[in-house]
């Protein structure tokens, strides 16, 4: 049975109380990957995957999820500033649909507006060179996306 693809809050109801989440920042050339601890408090970068074909990319993501005993995925959904969805959001939804056919792990979609811009500002503030920023930006964006989702879930738990 394909995995459900839901907004974060709805997806959380399908995840067990504990278990890591894998956060993804889907770019056209790379996929930034982050993972949470089993208690879902802290997001940590794992790697940046250079995109090849969907099957190869998905196989690597599913291997990471298995290695980390993940309970689900959080995909950054690039919504436009006016709340509409453009081609990048449609591409993310298509990726989620294709991934859902290969796993039963619930997939959450999380609004990632300005995540890459925020990470870029942070890296510039840390005086990271342009070349180094290009290498790490997607992984750091995945951390930013996943940490935002974890913080939102924590706020829901504490009321």
């Amino acid at each position: 049975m394909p995995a459900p693809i839901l907004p974060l809050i709805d997806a959380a109801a399908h995840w067990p109380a504990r278990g890591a989440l894998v956060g993804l920042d889907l770019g056209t050339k790379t996929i930034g990957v982050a993972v949470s601890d089993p208690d879902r408090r802290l997001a940590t970068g794992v790697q940046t995957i250079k995109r090849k074909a969907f099957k190869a990319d998905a196989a690597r993501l599913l291997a990471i999820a298995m290695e980390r005993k993940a309970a689900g995925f959080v995909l950054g959904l690039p919504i436009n500033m006016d709340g509409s969805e453009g081609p990048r959001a449609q591409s993310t939804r298509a990726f989620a649909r294709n991934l859902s056919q290969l796993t039963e792990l619930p997939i959450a979609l999380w609004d990632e507006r300005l995540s890459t811009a925020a990470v870029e500002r942070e890296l510039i503030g840390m005086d990271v060179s342009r070349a180094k920023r290009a290498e790490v930006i997607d992984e750091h964006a995945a951390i930013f996306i996943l940490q935002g989702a974890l913080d939102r879930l924590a706020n829901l738990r504490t009321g």
Side-chain angles (χ1 to χ4, degrees):
M1 185 163 135
I5 304 167
L6 302 162
L8 178 71
I9 306 310
D10 299 331
H14 292 264
W15 293 324
R18 290 189 83 243
L21 297 176
V22 177
L24 304 176
D25 177 52
L26 299 175
T28 54
K29 296 180 182 171
T30 60
I31 301 172
V33 183
V35 70
S36 76
D37 62 291
D39 291 323
R40 301 183 192 146
R41 292 198 172 101
L42 184 64
T44 307
V46 175
Q47 72 179 119
T48 298
I49 297 172
K50 292 209 184 298
R51 293 188 80 165
K52 296 178 180 143
F54 171 77
K55 286 192 178 199
D57 299 343
R60 181 67 192 123
L61 295 172
L62 293 172
I64 290 169
M66 192 175 349
E67 289 165 13
R68 307 295 176 122
K69 298 178 177 61
F73 290 95
V74 176
L75 270 67
L77 184 64
I79 296 174
N80 295 326
M81 291 307 291
D82 66 1
S84 65
E85 292 189 14
R88 287 192 56 233
Q90 293 168 0
S91 174
T92 297
R93 287 188 183 278
F95 186 94
R97 278 192 305 275
N98 291 336
L99 184 61
S100 76
Q101 300 299 313
L102 303 175
T103 183
E104 293 184 0
L105 297 177
I107 300 169
L109 299 175
W110 175 246
D111 182 351
E112 67 145 305
R113 268 181 269 201
L114 300 178
S115 62
T116 302
V119 169
E120 178 111 32
R121 279 192 310 273
E122 185 178 312
L123 292 171
I124 289 170
M126 294 167 46
D127 205 26
V128 176
S129 73
R130 184 174 304 205
K132 184 66 174 167
R133 283 196 312 266
E135 288 176 24
V136 301
I137 193 135
D138 292 321
E139 181 180 327
H140 283 254
I143 296 167
F144 187 90
I145 290 163
L146 183 55
Q147 190 62 55
L150 296 174
D151 292 347
R152 177 71 175 115
L153 293 172
N155 286 341
L156 287 174
R157 284 193 302 269
T158 60

